[in-house]
């Protein structure tokens, strides 16, 4: 594998287009990013997004038929591979959480999930109380952002079918979802400090180390290198999305300031 630019010849970062922010990603890039977004959602307690999308499509197709006989049933057998086993944070799915104040919420055992849902205090009792009151809402908000990002990746547009668009209203949640995915990847890649992050990019730019083909070491190195590439891709996408959002916000403030100045002079 070459450097980051050679690996991602199609990808273009987000730019503002009217009321949307648009990036260009090829089919492989979209599939990888969508899959990881769904996996992070599962870490937080969600059902895999593809499964819920199929169920929603089936329900929509069945709605016009009162008897439900028009092919609206979901084939659960097709989705067996999508159903998670024990969640990696050892927590229940959102549907089983109940009202937040009814039961204590265990601290996540997966370090990646602890990055997504950190303790709010160094005091164990205060941290447990805060988690009990906020855990369900925080998980739901993060899952909603991840699903929005997943949906944008699954429904590209544009003349070449490679334009991934998020609306101005969706952009903050999508940027936050990218942060959540990067936090999980950072944990898996062992990124703890800024120096670790710099080494990751250096690792991507260097030629892949030699290892016997088909060996466990070669497979492990290939997987790691792929995740490093995804981490770098997400970093660029998030940076360009946030940059485009800030540029538009500055432009709006400038425009508003000019309009107010004009009214003052006219007065």
């Amino acid at each position: 594998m070459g450097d980051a630019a050679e690996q991602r010849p199609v990808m273009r970062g987000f730019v503002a287009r009217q009321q949307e922010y648009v990036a260009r990603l090829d089919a492989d890039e979209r599939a990888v990013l969508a899959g990881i977004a769904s996996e992070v959602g599962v870490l937080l307690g969600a059902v895999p997004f593809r499964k819920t999308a199929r169920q929603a499509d089936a329900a929509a197709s069945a709605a016009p038929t009162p008897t439900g006989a028009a092919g609206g049933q979901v084939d659960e057998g097709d989705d067996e591979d999508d159903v998670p086993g024990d969640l990696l944070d050892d927590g229940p799915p959102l549907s089983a959480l109940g009202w937040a104040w009814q039961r204590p919420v265990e601290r996540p055992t997966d370090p990646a999930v602890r990055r997504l849902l950190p303790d709010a205090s160094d005091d164990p009792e205060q941290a447990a109380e805060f988690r009990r009151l906020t855990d369900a809402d925080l998980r739901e908000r993060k899952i909603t952002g991840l699903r929005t990002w997943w949906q944008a990746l699954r429904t590209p547009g544009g003349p070449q079918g490679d334009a991934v668009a998020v609306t101005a209203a969706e952009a903050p949640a999508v940027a936050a979802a990218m942060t959540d995915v990067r936090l999980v990847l950072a944990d898996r890649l062992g990124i703890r400090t800024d120096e670790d992050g710099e080494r990751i990019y250096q690792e991507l730019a260097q030629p892949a180390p030699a290892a016997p083909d088909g060996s466990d070491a070669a497979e492990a190195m290939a997987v790691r290198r792929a995740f490093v590439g995804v981490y770098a891709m997400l970093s660029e996408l998030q940076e360009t999305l946030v940059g485009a959002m800030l540029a538009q916000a500055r432009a709006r403030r400038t425009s508003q300031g000019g309009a107010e100045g004009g009214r003052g002079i006219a007065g």
Side-chain angles (χ1 to χ4, degrees), residues 149-230:
W149 174 225
W150 178 86
Q151 186 64 29
L153 291 164
R154 299 276 292 185
T155 54
Q160 299 177 353
D162 63 353
V164 175
V166 297
T167 67
E170 294 169 339
V174 168
M178 291 182 190
T179 294
D180 289 339
V181 176
R182 290 179 70 241
L183 285 171
V184 172
L185 289 173
D187 180 81
R188 302 301 192 236
L189 291 168
I191 301 174
R192 301 288 184 271
T193 65
D194 291 342
E195 290 75 15
D196 292 337
E198 289 299 323
R199 282 195 292 270
I200 284 292
Y201 290 106
Q202 293 170 8
E203 180 180 331
L204 187 64
Q206 294 170 356
D213 291 339
S215 68
D216 291 342
E219 182 177 354
M221 284 189 292
V223 170
R224 176 179 174 81
R225 198 168 178 83
F227 276 112
V228 170
V230 173

Side-chain angles (χ1 to χ4, degrees), residues 27 37-38 61 90 112 120 124 158 185 207 214 219 244 250 253 262:
S38 181
S61 64
D90 294 330
L185 289 173
E219 182 177 354
R250 286 194 294 267
R253 286 197 298 270

